[in-house]
Amino acid sequence: SRLSAPHSVADVLDRLKELGEKAGDGKVRLGDALEAMGHRAYGPFFIILPLIDISPIGGIPGLPTAMAVVMVLLAAQLVLGHEHMWLPAFLKKRGIAGRKLVTVANKMQPVGRRMDKWFHGRLSPLTKGPMIRFAGVAIILLCVTVPPLELLPFASTAPMLAILAFGIALLVRDGVLMLFACALALV
């Protein structure tokens, strides 16, 4: 486990790939990811979970709803101002096959590098204080739309894209992206 939280999308994906390679045929548990990303790093989880949903793995019935439940729990902690993330033991034990995680990380790496070039610290005051709580509320509302959307294949991608935008904005402290995420959430 690393002491510092990731500071870029590429860093998040590198850590995911590392976890997946270490697990091999076994599972990477949410608890392992929490340790690798840091207990204060909300942004990476609002990047990782939507990326998994957007990937072909997201087509597994029930998976988008399960990820939405985890994100509601994390977003609620964000709204309440908790500095450290907490997950119940039964969720920490849930996971995804290491090899699938490596595949997702590899496929998303070029996109992650592009995102890191585009998004970086603009209007950073918009990623602090009340905006963080607003982002948490928006993420919760977006997650509520996931279970009914899951009835249509890959329809949950729309709210997941908005959550992904919030996650990146929180990670790289980009206020312009935060505003875009807010607009995307409204749409």
Side-chain angles (χ1 to χ4, degrees):
S1 121
R2 299 181 189 187
L3 295 176
S4 67
H7 296 289
S8 69
V9 177
D11 193 14
V12 168
L13 293 169
D14 286 343
R15 291 184 192 198
L16 276 184
K17 183 177 178 179
E18 202 175 284
L19 283 171
E21 287 172 343
K22 201 183 295 182
D25 288 328
K27 285 191 173 204
V28 174
R29 299 179 325 226
L30 269 174
D32 300 332
L34 193 62
E35 288 297 319
M37 300 297 162
H39 288 268
R40 294 176 160 210
Y42 284 92
F45 284 92
F46 297 125
I47 294 170
I48 295 166
L49 297 172
L51 282 179
I52 290 171
D53 179 78
I54 293 166
S55 79
I57 297 168
I60 297 171
L63 186 63
T65 297
M67 290 189 298
V69 168
V70 172
M71 287 189 287
V72 164
L73 182 60
L74 294 175
Q77 293 174 57
L78 195 62
V79 170
L80 294 172
H82 292 199
E83 273 194 41
H84 296 276
M85 288 184 290
W86 170 84
L87 288 172
F90 79 94
L91 283 179
K92 281 185 179 179
K93 292 177 186 174
R94 297 281 178 243
I96 188 168
R99 296 205 190 288
K100 286 184 179 180
L101 206 52
V102 169
T103 301
V104 169
N106 284 337
K107 284 185 179 181
M108 297 311 293
Q109 204 51 270
V111 175
R113 281 193 289 276
R114 246 180 272 130
M115 288 177 181
D116 289 336
K117 284 181 189 170
W118 295 337
F119 311 120
H120 45 74
R122 301 168 296 177
L123 299 176
S124 62
L126 292 177
T127 62
K128 297 176 181 149
M131 283 303 287
I132 290 176
R133 286 189 166 86
F134 178 81
V137 169
I139 290 168
I140 290 168
L141 294 174
L142 288 163
C143 286
V144 169
T145 69
V146 170
L149 287 174
E150 196 176 346
L151 299 173
L152 302 167
F154 298 101
S156 63
T157 298
M160 290 295 182
L161 285 173
I163 294 168
L164 175 64
F166 279 117
I168 296 168
L170 290 169
L171 178 70
V172 300
R173 307 270 185 249
D174 192 311
V176 173
L177 183 57
M178 182 67 86
L179 292 174
F180 175 75
C182 291
L184 200 55
L186 289 173
V187 170

